[in-house]
Amino acid sequence: MRPLLFAANWKMNIGPKEARAYLKTFRSLYQPHAEREAWFFPPAVSLEVVAEGTADRSDFLAGAQDIYWEPKGAFTGATSAPLAVQAGARATLIGHSERRHVFGETDEDTQRKVAAAFSNGLTPMLCVGEKLEQRDAGKTIDVVQRQLTGALGGLDREALARVIIAYEPVWAIGTGRNATPQDAAAVHREIRDWLTRQGAARTRVLYGGSVNLKNVAELLAQRELDGVLVGGASLDPTAWAQLVQTPAN
Ligand code: PEP
């Protein structure tokens, strides 16, 4: 049995009241499984509720969807790493494709956020992935390597071993069109090669992009995947409990 991480990105859904009800249902349907973790990335307003509602389970973890790199000050609307930690976060997404392509986050921004996460004891989950036109132009690996180097290039191998990478092709996120398991595995191998060259061959690499109950088993059958990062299919606690229990062959 290999260790697997199932990460739920709720995006801009599920407020604090709904989060309480969600966790009640999820917890009634999902008992701990050996070598399996379920992480939750709720919106900032629900972080404390989710952190408190999962604190007693070592296989659960609550994280922030984003942090700003400055520790405090006049940055209206932003959440700093120390504030996320105070609300109970132990990890944070960084460089999610919606942050990059809706809010204009750059590779330099992701590097600052990774540094802020580490300074505050948060595990960074760095999201990387190409747009459709980049894939069609044969640039997938270039783009992914640029994003990896941009965010993580300056880290020593101990820090790199603590990062989690989520490979999420932009064209597969929220579109219902997921990469084939073989496509995903091929890019995972390139990411693994990049990590190995940096001396961090065991860093966890997840796949994300329209993962759902129908396709998750086939994805998990790819040994290159250490788990999945899931948006839409994590919003219903019953379906998410089922997904997290999917057997991996
Ligand atoms: C995501 O938000 O990281 C994601 C993969 O979304 P979805 O599963 O909805 O494609």
Side-chain angles (χ1 to χ4, degrees):
M1 199 180 299
R2 74 191 209 271
L4 287 172
L5 171 54
F6 295 78
N9 175 16
W10 290 354
K11 311 195 188 198
M12 203 167 68
N13 301 286
I14 312 185
K17 276 194 196 129
E18 296 160 312
R20 265 186 212 101
Y22 179 112
L23 289 177
K24 197 168 170 206
T25 305
F26 180 76
R27 292 183 60 123
S28 71
L29 298 171
Y30 183 75
Q31 309 312 318
H33 283 54
E35 304 285 6
R36 240 164 230 232
E37 289 172 78
W39 290 18
F40 298 89
F41 293 93
V45 292
S46 304
L47 191 44
E48 192 168 5
V49 165
V50 175
E52 285 176 5
T54 53
D56 61 323
R57 285 271 298 260
S58 61
D59 57 330
F60 290 168
L61 181 146
Q65 290 179 10
D66 183 41
I67 51 165
Y68 191 57
W69 55 81
E70 292 290 347
K72 62 196 279 193
F75 302 101
T76 302
T79 303
S80 68
L83 291 180
V85 169
Q86 202 180 125
R90 289 166 51 208
T92 180
L93 298 181
I94 292 177
H96 188 275
S97 76
E98 286 141 27
R99 299 303 316 171
R100 292 179 192 267
H101 303 301
V102 180
F103 296 100
E105 190 163 301
T106 64
D107 289 333
E108 196 182 9
D109 294 343
T110 61
Q111 185 179 38
R112 290 175 168 154
K113 291 180 179 190
V114 168
F118 274 127
S119 305
N120 290 277
L122 290 170
T123 297
M125 185 181 286
L126 178 75
C127 304
V128 297
E130 81 287 3
K131 295 205 244 180
L132 188 55
E133 59 267 29
Q134 293 167 325
R135 169 161 283 253
D136 289 344
K139 297 216 160 80
T140 298
I141 305 309
D142 291 350
V143 170
V144 168
Q145 287 189 353
R146 193 207 71 223
Q147 292 169 336
L148 291 170
T149 308
L152 309 175
L155 297 182
D156 60 34
R157 62 179 66 181
E158 283 75 26
L160 209 45
R162 299 209 305 275
V163 172
I164 297 171
I165 313 283
Y167 168 57
E168 301 202 302
V170 178
W171 47 272
I173 298 179
T175 58
R177 181 183 161 185
N178 70 312
T180 67
Q182 293 72 26
D183 284 343
V187 180
H188 275 240
R189 281 194 292 277
E190 297 285 348
I191 294 173
R192 180 73 56 209
D193 286 350
W194 185 90
L195 289 164
T196 304
R197 288 198 294 278
Q198 319 300 313
R202 292 170 68 84
T203 296
R204 289 190 276 185
V205 186
L206 313 186
Y207 173 76
S210 295
V211 176
N212 58 38
L213 275 171
K214 288 201 183 113
N215 58 30
V216 67
E218 218 191 333
L219 285 161
L220 294 177
Q222 307 297 314
R223 306 290 303 177
E224 289 85 350
L225 275 62
D226 298 310
V228 286
L229 174 58
V230 182
S234 72
L235 297 180
D236 173 62
T238 305
W240 180 237
Q242 222 181 313
L243 198 150
V244 178
Q245 294 176 78
T246 305
N249 298 314

